[in-house]
Amino acid sequence: MEVSSEPTITPPDNDRDLRILLWGIDGTLMRSAPNTFRESTKAVLRHVFGTAGRIDKVPLTGMTDLQYIVEALSSAGFTREDVSSFTHEISNQYLCEIQRAIRNGAQFNVLPGVREALETIAKARRYRSAILTGSFQSTANFKLNLADLSDYFDVPGTFGDQAYHRRELPPLAARIISTHLRSEFAPSQFIVIGDTPDDIAGARHFGARSIGVATGHSYTFDDLLRCEPDAVLPDLSNTQLLMQTLARL
């Protein structure tokens, strides 16, 4: 399919016409092997805390990395405050582990159509793009740089070491981006694009729009459809369909 080199959206006349896209990373923009994150986190927690706690029993989705770690370590007597006080050490160790995983053959592959979609959106002045992810900022940025995707995100992102509950991320993103752009934006001007029901629920809790993308490990197209987002796409390979979907929101 040919991707037009010309913007397909009329530039906004004012800030009320602007739409700010909040993108997930893992399962939305790129994918790795299913166990890469859990195994890396085990190594991080053993290095920093001496134990990985009950990590094998904690669900992988629905949490920020900070909450995921607290849930894993609570059985070992560590509190949310304990974990928060070691955020810097955890972040640094995550970087070490992801680099080790790559040396050992782990791959982080950009999903079909992602680069073409981001390129087209970058040319359409109606949109600005930011990252919204439960991952720590250090590892999120590392993966984006690794995949050569960083330049497509022109406003500050929001990450899993900045909030405890995932539902806190969209309103935090709105505050950060509104400050950065020196303008106040309504919740409905934000569009969360992600691959899990938690992305959709977080958007709804804040009052943002949402697009489910069925490219993650855990949820199918029908799973996401049942969560009643504003739209669901099977993937991002059809740039024209994505742009038509965005134009309606």
Side-chain angles (χ1 to χ4, degrees):
M1 181 187 71
E2 292 185 359
V3 178
S4 172
S5 61
E6 297 297 325
T8 58
I9 303 298
T10 302
D13 294 325
N14 54 57
D15 285 348
R16 287 178 297 175
D17 296 322
L18 190 69
R19 295 294 180 267
I20 300 169
L21 312 184
L22 303 176
W23 297 82
I25 298 180
D26 298 295
T28 302
L29 299 175
M30 63 180 68
R31 283 181 67 171
S32 59
N35 291 326
T36 300
F37 173 68
R38 192 189 295 274
E39 292 306 312
S40 294
T41 304
K42 281 183 184 180
V44 168
L45 299 189
R46 286 168 180 157
H47 179 88
V48 177
F49 297 98
T51 177
R54 56 184 290 272
I55 195 168
D56 288 323
K57 299 183 186 297
V58 180
L60 277 172
T61 62
M63 304 182 193
T64 63
D65 284 2
L66 188 60
Q67 185 181 9
Y68 179 66
I69 291 169
V70 172
E71 292 287 334
L73 294 180
S74 60
S75 62
F78 291 97
T79 66
R80 175 174 169 178
E81 290 71 25
D82 293 332
V83 173
S84 295
S85 68
F86 281 92
T87 299
H88 182 70
E89 290 85 347
I90 295 168
S91 179
N92 288 341
Q93 196 59 33
Y94 260 132
L95 274 180
C96 294
E97 291 303 325
I98 196 171
Q99 290 167 346
R100 180 179 292 116
I102 290 169
R103 289 196 300 271
N104 291 338
Q107 295 183 340
F108 295 85
N109 299 311
V110 177
L111 285 160
V114 164
R115 201 175 303 278
E116 294 83 355
L118 293 174
E119 287 176 356
T120 301
I121 287 166
K123 296 171 185 173
R125 288 175 53 199
R126 186 179 189 241
Y127 304 111
R128 307 294 291 269
S129 286
I131 290 297
L132 186 143
T133 177
S135 299
F136 274 40
Q137 184 171 359
S138 57
T139 50
N141 287 339
F142 180 88
K143 285 185 279 189
L144 290 174
N145 289 332
L146 183 70
D148 196 25
L149 295 178
S150 298
D151 289 345
Y152 294 114
F153 301 97
D154 56 352
V155 288
T158 309
F159 305 92
D161 44 347
Q162 296 174 310
Y164 185 72
H165 292 290
R166 199 174 187 94
R167 67 175 179 269
E168 297 169 358
L169 292 176
L172 177 59
R175 291 196 297 272
I176 291 171
I177 292 169
S178 293
T179 299
H180 177 77
L181 296 179
R182 299 180 181 179
S183 184
E184 290 298 321
F185 299 101
S188 59
Q189 291 181 260
F190 293 86
I191 303 173
V192 175
I193 304 174
D195 62 287
T196 74
D198 305 288
D199 296 309
I200 299 165
R204 182 179 296 114
H205 185 267
F206 175 55
R209 313 291 178 84
S210 62
I211 298 176
V213 186
T215 47
H217 287 297
S218 302
Y219 300 100
T220 67
F221 184 97
D222 288 340
D223 291 334
L224 298 178
L225 194 63
R226 282 191 287 271
C227 298
E228 300 183 346
D230 293 280
V232 182
L233 300 175
D235 54 39
L236 295 174
S237 63
N238 188 333
T239 304
Q240 183 178 7
L241 176 60
L242 172 63
M243 299 307 291
Q244 289 171 347
T245 301
L246 289 172
R248 294 195 296 268
L249 302 180

